[in-house]
Amino acid sequence: MTTRNRIKTLTQFVVERQAEYSQAKGALTRLLNDIATAAKIVNREVNAAGLADILGFEGSDNIQGEAQKKLDVFANERFIEALKGGGECCAIASEENEKIISFQNEFSDLGKYVVAIDPLDGSSNIEANVSIGTVFSIYRRKSDVGPGKLEDMLQPGVNLVAAGYVIYGSSTMLVYTTGRGVNGFTLDPSVGIFCLSHPEMKFPETSNIYSINEGNYIYFPEGVKKYIKYCQEDDAKTLRPYTSRYIGSMVADFHRNLIKGGIFIYPGTTKQPKGKLRLLYECCPVAYIAEQAGGKASDGFNRIMEIQPKTLHQRAPLFIGQKSMVEKAEEFMVKYSPEMNSAKK
Ligand code: P6P
């Protein structure tokens, strides 16, 4: 009898993975499902954004001082609501909130996790109908009981229990890892179910895409300038000149590179020495996924996953993607911009 190609849902997948861990009690399974539920609601609004007069500015500024779009606020509220209601986490750090949001769970054995999240990354692209995303990190709390604390949140990527992103694009996908590979689930909007569509995702062995905002060229460190020129040289055996692709939405740029291969760089510059991207809820989650997909993620010198966060919204330069491409870029940074290595200061 031929075995039909049965669709596997996110819920089935997560429960099956949980079953392989005898000590797992289902809390992480429920937490991941809480995130997926909020993502479906955000997806509905993102898709309707052009119609539901949800575009435009909420009128308030977020802690980054950026004018908030209504969808930013909506997405932030949905994820906080889902995580608080689910009871599996005791604190959230969100790009949209200056301080952590702590919960007191009435049951002491609940709330074992904390979540760092960018509810709607790339939101400046909303009006242009460009793919945007949600990025999340899940850590086990360090404190024993009670509402989550800042110390629970300020953990390096090597402590991650799970990390993932949702990309709201031509289709909506949830991609995540718990340290045993990377799996992608595509939302079937007709039934509101995430279905396994990209099992065991890996960066392609060879790649020729580089992704960086070259509009900032004059502010780049010498190592980045030299690497860009390296990408543009004519050398067929190393697939150069590479193709330049830049969307301006990290989740979209990262996801394209994961599927097609490539490197994404948001470096430190003379204007922003630490770059623009946030360590906790942008760099670390995609770094975990990149490493689990056979790739690499650094700040140009040091493994992103080993950087100890000191503040909630601290930034980090990001060189991420196919391993050999990241290593080549790091060679240029070590040779031409060693002064940018924060670990050496
Ligand atoms: P720039 C979106 O605002 C974001 O935070 C990331 O998603 C994206 O990679 C980056 O900023 C784009 O920044 O300076 O190139 O517009």
Side-chain angles (χ1 to χ4, degrees):
M1 182 182 82
T2 55
T3 50
R4 285 185 325 110
N5 195 3
R6 199 167 61 85
I7 290 175
K8 183 166 287 185
T9 68
L10 172 65
T11 304
Q12 289 166 331
F13 182 89
V14 180
V15 167
E16 277 174 16
R17 282 294 173 95
Q18 170 205 318
E20 291 162 18
Y21 278 112
S22 54
Q23 75 277 16
K25 297 188 179 60
L28 182 59
T29 298
R30 288 189 295 272
L31 180 54
L32 286 167
N33 276 310
D34 292 341
I35 289 171
T37 301
K40 292 179 205 173
I41 297 169
V42 171
N43 175 65
R44 184 191 61 207
E45 293 307 314
V46 166
N47 289 343
L51 308 172
D53 183 34
I54 202 164
L55 288 178
F57 293 85
E58 178 71 8
S60 58
D61 285 355
N62 68 11
I63 67 113
Q64 329 290 346
E66 297 160 346
Q68 278 189 294
K69 301 226 179 276
K70 287 179 180 175
L71 265 180
D72 277 336
V73 177
F74 178 86
N76 196 39
E77 289 167 354
R78 295 298 74 74
F79 281 101
I80 291 170
E81 200 173 76
L83 291 167
K84 192 167 187 175
E88 300 305 344
C89 82
C90 61
I92 298 176
S94 168
E95 188 198 30
E96 302 299 335
N97 299 79
E98 184 173 1
K99 299 193 181 320
I100 65 168
I101 301 151
S102 291
F103 316 134
Q104 170 66 53
N105 284 298
E106 63 268 35
F107 309 108
S108 61
D109 64 337
L110 285 180
K112 292 191 301 187
Y113 297 103
V114 295
V115 176
I117 190 165
D118 186 351
L120 211 55
D121 174 70
S123 52
S124 55
N125 292 299
I126 293 174
E127 281 92 341
N129 205 13
V130 167
S131 299
I132 52 183
T134 297
V135 206
F136 61 90
S137 290
I138 301 175
Y139 294 93
R140 202 164 277 103
R141 70 180 301 169
K142 290 170 71 176
S143 58
D144 296 333
V145 287
K149 300 172 180 62
L150 183 59
E151 71 185 66
D152 292 317
M153 208 57 80
L154 298 182
Q155 299 189 52
V158 288
N159 291 2
L160 278 166
V161 170
Y165 60 83
V166 182
I167 179 167
Y168 309 98
S170 49
S171 65
T172 294
M173 277 190 70
L174 187 150
V175 177
Y176 86 98
T177 183
T178 57
R180 298 165 61 221
V182 178
N183 290 281
F185 299 80
T186 299
L187 181 65
D188 177 343
S190 65
V191 288
I193 294 176
F194 279 106
C195 303
L196 182 62
S197 53
H198 296 67
E200 299 306 322
M201 299 177 81
K202 294 284 183 192
F203 283 102
E205 281 303 311
T206 57
S207 342
N208 71 337
I209 293 173
Y210 75 103
S211 181
I212 186 169
N213 183 347
E214 295 191 54
N216 296 323
Y217 185 85
I218 56 170
Y219 307 117
F220 286 157
E222 197 55 26
V224 171
K225 290 179 177 175
K226 294 276 191 212
Y227 179 67
I228 289 173
K229 293 309 167 198
Y230 168 84
C231 293
Q232 295 168 346
E233 286 170 354
D234 187 352
D235 177 22
K237 68 178 186 307
T238 55
L239 306 178
R240 291 179 292 150
Y242 292 154
T243 295
S244 174
R245 289 285 183 273
Y246 191 75
I247 300 171
S249 179
M250 181 197 70
V251 170
D253 278 313
F254 177 81
H255 185 74
R256 182 214 45 248
N257 288 353
L258 178 57
I259 300 290
K260 292 177 175 285
I263 182 172
F264 171 86
I265 302 176
Y266 206 106
T269 66
T270 49
K271 288 203 300 184
Q272 282 188 310
K274 286 289 186 188
K276 175 181 182 182
L277 302 177
R278 309 292 178 169
L279 177 62
L280 260 186
Y281 43 76
E282 289 177 314
C283 300
C284 268
V286 290
Y288 194 20
I289 289 176
E291 291 192 0
Q292 286 291 312
K296 191 172 187 187
S298 76
D299 62 4
F301 306 92
N302 313 288
R303 187 184 175 208
I304 287 287
M305 299 274 285
E306 291 177 354
I307 299 175
Q308 171 58 49
K310 295 184 177 64
T311 59
L312 217 44
H313 302 286
Q314 79 180 59
R315 302 173 195 269
L318 184 63
F319 294 64
I320 190 168
Q322 206 258 355
K323 190 168 186 177
S324 58
M325 295 183 87
V326 173
E327 288 171 343
K328 176 57 79 175
E330 289 170 339
E331 282 175 26
F332 283 91
M333 290 304 285
V334 168
K335 184 171 180 182
Y336 296 102
S337 300
E339 76 287 352
M340 296 293 283
N341 185 349
S342 56
K344 295 268 195 283
K345 287 175 180 170

